[in-house]
Amino acid sequence: LMSKVGLHGKSFIPMLSSYACAIPGIMATRTIESPKDRLVTILIAPLMSCSARLPVYTLLIAACIPDRKVAGFIGLPGLTLLSMYLLGTVVAFIMAWVFKKTLLKGDTPMLILELPPYRRPLLLQVLRHMWERSKLFLRRAGTVIFGISIILWFLSTYPKSAEIREQFASQRTAVEEAGEITDEGELDAATVERLSELEKEESSAMLAHSFSGRLGHLIEPVFAPLGFDWKISIGVIASFAAREVFVSTMSTIYSMEGVEEEEGGENRLADRLLQETRPDGARLYTPLLAITLMVFYVFALQCVSTVAVVRRETNGWKWPVFQFAYMFILAWVLAFITWQGGRWLGWG
């Protein structure tokens, strides 16, 4: 199978490693002797769905994909998740074939390996390695996510608008004065619900007035054909630093304190996403939008660290820039086909 699409047999391990993280997968291509075969593997390695995509997949699946069975025994959420992994793998093979037929033509040598003796791993050594890798990930990825979350919080909070605050304060006062007091001395349910709606409207208005709101509106035309609104656009742009940042970005945008599991297996952020609507009142986060967004995340190169590693492994910026560009175009086009095709079929 590997040779039929022009891949070297030694590309298997880098591609397999990329399901965990593209960085070690790209570094593992050093075992490939042919420069062209190695470069092809580097270019397609990030198409494997790495673990950083899982938070995005799980959030969107929990929020939008109904929990029902397909063919009577296959769970639709699980099938959706599996489809994202298969989609990235299939397209990776297709792109490898395209690269070997165009930019990086050349014969693929046969793979001949001398198998080393297999030994049972030592538990202490495995645990030590797991601890070191986990600590390294938390130090690198955790600091990036934390730093970006602080920046996003600032951009989503400032500048404040006294005019918006006064406008909604007067509306709240009017609602409270018009409301009825129950026997327990509290406002009636209808008034409380209206006050809650005003609070959400005020948060939305403040966000639209903030720096991130202005940025989101600025880039919204790029992603509007994919069905994304300006808030999703902010999340997409922010997650170019690291894909998992999308979840914390959405938490910040929607003023959520965190993504915590609640009763019924749903989390508060997923519930909050379901409350979002478009300007015409239609539900924003539909199954079609979730699939479109996941398709975009399957193919877009949203990882600064990966770009840096590719730059180091290829000794220049030519191939990292090319890789980023082709993956973004691929992500945009396939997400566009998914969204527009789904709407044409009446799924939107």
Side-chain angles (χ1 to χ4, degrees), residues 55-56 58-59 243-252 259 269:
V56 181
T58 53
L59 172 64
R243 296 177 181 92
E244 59 270 35
V245 171
F246 177 82
V247 177
S248 60
T249 302
M250 292 294 102
S251 299
T252 303
V259 182
L269 180 55

Side-chain angles (χ1 to χ4, degrees), residues 14-298:
M15 292 176 66
L16 183 63
S17 300
S18 297
Y19 282 107
C21 179
I23 293 175
I26 291 170
M27 295 176 67
T29 61
R30 296 173 182 176
T31 60
I32 303 175
E33 294 84 0
S34 170
K36 289 185 177 180
D37 291 332
R38 181 180 180 225
L39 187 54
V40 169
T41 308
I42 289 175
L43 291 176
I44 67 168
L47 290 173
M48 306 296 112
S49 281
C50 64
S51 57
R53 291 177 171 95
L54 270 178
V56 181
Y57 293 165
T58 53
L59 172 64
L60 294 173
I61 289 174
C64 304
I65 305 301
D67 187 12
R68 61 168 180 249
K69 302 294 183 182
V70 177
F73 66 97
I74 303 175
L76 185 58
L79 182 61
T80 303
L81 181 61
L82 176 62
S83 299
M84 295 301 112
Y85 277 85
L86 292 177
L87 180 62
T89 304
V90 170
V91 174
F93 282 122
I94 294 174
M95 293 308 301
W97 181 84
V98 171
F99 289 141
K100 288 294 290 186
K101 295 294 182 181
T102 54
L103 294 176
L104 301 166
K105 292 181 180 180
D107 296 329
T108 301
M110 294 181 62
L111 174 63
I112 301 176
L113 286 177
E114 180 181 353
L115 295 178
Y118 289 96
R119 296 181 176 87
R120 181 178 299 175
L122 299 175
L123 179 60
L124 183 61
Q125 187 177 6
V126 171
L127 292 176
R128 184 185 298 114
H129 182 71
M130 289 172 58
W131 167 252
E132 290 175 353
R133 300 309 301 177
S134 300
K135 185 170 63 175
L136 181 64
F137 174 80
L138 290 174
R139 186 167 63 246
R140 291 183 177 177
T143 51
V144 170
I145 295 172
F146 181 69
I148 291 177
S149 297
I150 293 176
I151 295 172
L152 287 171
W153 170 82
F154 176 82
L155 294 177
S156 301
T157 305
Y158 297 97
K160 298 285 189 180
S161 173
E163 181 180 350
I164 294 176
R165 185 181 292 108
E166 292 173 2
Q167 175 187 347
F168 280 93
S170 61
Q171 291 185 36
R172 276 194 296 270
T173 301
V175 170
E176 290 172 353
E177 291 176 352
E180 298 180 359
I181 304 298
T182 63
D183 295 337
E184 290 78 13
E186 299 177 351
L187 291 170
D188 61 286
T191 303
V192 172
E193 183 178 355
R194 177 55 185 154
L195 289 173
S196 177
E197 292 176 357
L198 282 175
E199 184 178 353
K200 293 177 183 177
E201 292 174 7
E202 182 180 6
S203 298
S204 180
M206 283 291 192
L207 179 61
H209 182 266
S210 67
F211 292 122
S212 62
R214 298 172 189 179
L215 175 62
H217 285 296
L218 180 65
I219 63 177
E220 185 179 13
V222 177
F223 296 103
L226 313 183
F228 303 170
D229 69 348
W230 61 274
K231 296 178 183 178
I232 298 177
S233 300
I234 294 174
V236 170
I237 294 299
S239 58
F240 275 105
R243 296 177 181 92
E244 59 270 35
V245 171
F246 177 82
V247 177
S248 60
T249 302
M250 292 294 102
S251 299
T252 303
I253 288 175
Y254 293 121
S255 302
M256 303 294 294
E257 295 179 359
V259 182
E260 300 173 357
E261 294 296 325
E262 295 185 346
E263 295 181 4
E266 297 179 347
N267 59 63
R268 293 186 293 116
L269 180 55
D271 292 338
R272 179 66 182 85
L273 296 182
L274 290 176
Q275 299 173 13
E276 281 296 294
T277 58
R278 297 187 183 275
D280 61 359
R283 179 180 162 190
L284 175 61
Y285 284 89
T286 61
L288 178 59
L289 178 72
I291 292 174
T292 302
L293 190 52
M294 284 188 283
V295 167
F296 183 87
Y297 270 85
V298 167

Side-chain angles (χ1 to χ4, degrees), residues 290-348:
I291 292 174
T292 302
L293 190 52
M294 284 188 283
V295 167
F296 183 87
Y297 270 85
V298 167
F299 299 109
L301 181 55
Q302 294 167 296
C303 184
V304 172
S305 300
T306 300
V307 174
V309 169
V310 173
R311 187 264 173 200
R312 187 181 65 186
E313 295 297 314
T314 59
N315 297 316
W317 284 105
K318 173 185 174 181
W319 291 111
V321 171
F322 170 78
Q323 185 180 42
F324 182 88
Y326 103 77
M327 290 184 67
F328 179 82
I329 294 171
L330 186 65
W332 195 96
V333 170
L334 293 181
F336 176 83
I337 293 173
T338 303
W339 174 252
Q340 298 297 340
R343 294 184 64 191
W344 182 72
L345 293 172
W347 296 346

